[in-house]
Amino acid sequence: MELPPPGPRGIPPLFARLVDDSALFPPSEATMREALEKHLETRAGEHAGMLGVFLCQASRLPEMITELIKIRPAEPLPLSLIIDTGLGGVPKAISIVESRNELLSLRMVEMPAPSDVDEVWLERVSEFVPEDVVRVVEPRRGVGWLDGVRKVIEHGSWPKIRCGGLSSENFPSIDDVADFLSVVSSYPGASFKATNSLQRAVRHTDKATGFEHHGFLNLLVASARCLCGGDVREALASTDGEVLAGEVSSFSDPAAAAVRSLFTSYASVSFTEPIADLKGLGLL
């Protein structure tokens, strides 16, 4: 996948289309109408160049279409379809989206993998999702997890890594993330997506929960180091935003393109937090 072009107001290529909108997912409590209106407002705003696709569950497609008919967006909404209805529900969901191409532009289909990521299941994913739509599959962390990541890549899909959630078990360790990056980067041309609890740029401890959160800037630096043989774990563990910002500022254009070809985007319930953090670090 080619690196997206800079946004309309000169968003640096390293951050172009980096943040996918997951306002319909916990801990967000936005209604469908609120989430859509905010997304469209952001897409027309100053930092639109950082905004990627809008995420919607397959089970909520009728609700989303109803609201979009009322809103009447100027152009089709770039959509990532999150499959929460099982693999068998994929053809129907895609058919619904494609029947409303004046409202929706399907860019991506994402789904959790079964506990045992088998070849037959992955082949069906490839059959069900059109070739021009990105397939994203999330292997479940646990025994054999990295083998599942390898199978996903070998079947032409992007693996997804969940970086947090509502319980401590949802947060992968630094070693987990480093091992994941090592596997993905070992496949020429492979890409991955991240999700959950990455609203902030830099690794930090959440005061309310005590959970250690990964930072999306840490992931960008770790991806870069993974590609050039640097210290990936140090990048993931760093809580020094200025050091991380200095490192990404030194990326050449080819290096930035290579990083974003590997780490394509991440899903966030907030768009204001990543913008504020990047501004605070002098990166926007």
Side-chain angles (χ1 to χ4, degrees):
M1 181 178 181
E2 294 182 0
L3 186 72
R9 291 176 176 83
I11 295 294
L14 185 66
F15 306 124
R17 312 299 178 202
L18 177 65
V19 187
D20 290 337
D21 187 343
S22 60
L24 293 179
F25 294 80
S28 171
E29 297 179 349
T31 65
M32 178 66 73
R33 181 73 176 220
E34 290 168 344
L36 287 170
E37 288 183 338
K38 183 63 176 177
H39 181 88
L40 293 171
E41 177 187 331
T42 302
R43 191 163 290 282
E46 180 183 0
H47 300 104
M50 270 191 67
L51 186 62
V53 294
F54 183 82
L55 277 59
C56 181
Q57 303 93 327
S59 62
R60 299 187 70 179
L61 267 176
E63 180 188 2
M64 179 175 63
I65 290 170
T66 298
E67 292 299 333
L68 284 173
I69 290 171
K70 297 174 185 176
I71 295 170
R72 296 183 180 178
E75 56 187 26
L77 181 76
L79 175 69
S80 179
L81 189 60
I82 309 300
I83 303 301
D84 61 345
T85 53
L87 184 59
V90 172
K92 181 180 178 181
I94 291 177
S95 177
I96 292 172
V97 173
E98 292 180 338
S99 72
R100 303 312 302 251
N101 58 14
E102 79 283 5
L103 297 174
L104 297 167
S105 174
L106 185 62
R107 306 290 180 83
M108 189 177 289
V109 173
E110 307 181 43
M111 64 195 81
S115 54
D116 178 20
V117 189
D118 67 273
E119 309 283 338
V120 175
W121 186 89
L122 287 166
E123 287 172 7
R124 291 186 71 198
V125 171
S126 300
E127 292 170 5
F128 288 163
V129 180
E131 289 186 4
D132 60 345
V133 175
V134 175
R135 305 184 301 274
V136 181
V137 175
E138 180 186 347
R140 187 179 306 175
R141 276 190 300 115
V143 177
W145 173 57
L146 295 176
D147 287 336
V149 172
R150 293 184 184 95
K151 289 178 183 177
V152 168
I153 297 170
E154 289 165 3
H155 277 76
S157 297
W158 294 359
K160 179 163 69 175
I161 182 167
R162 186 168 297 271
C163 291
L166 301 179
S167 66
S168 59
E169 291 77 17
N170 296 133
F171 289 79
S173 68
I174 286 173
D175 284 342
D176 286 337
V177 180
D179 290 343
F180 174 87
L181 291 175
S182 178
V183 168
V184 180
S185 63
S186 70
Y187 287 84
S191 303
F192 76 90
K193 179 174 181 175
T195 191
N196 277 47
S197 305
L198 285 168
Q199 291 90 285
R200 304 300 302 273
V202 180
R203 184 177 181 82
H204 65 282
T205 302
D206 185 284
K207 293 180 181 178
T209 63
F211 298 157
E212 288 283 337
H213 284 243
H214 297 281
F216 68 84
L217 200 60
N218 297 79
L219 265 182
L220 286 167
V221 172
S223 296
R225 292 189 185 182
C226 206
L227 293 170
C228 67
D231 191 333
V232 173
R233 285 170 173 77
E234 180 188 60
L236 293 169
S238 177
T239 56
D240 192 327
E242 291 187 4
V243 170
L244 293 169
E247 188 161 343
V248 299
S249 296
S250 71
F251 289 175
S252 65
D253 289 344
V259 169
R260 286 301 309 285
S261 180
L262 177 63
F263 174 23
T264 58
S265 65
Y266 74 94
S268 175
V269 297
S270 169
F271 192 67
T272 56
E273 285 181 283
I275 294 294
D277 279 3
L278 291 178
K279 281 186 171 181
L281 291 168
L283 294 171
L284 284 182

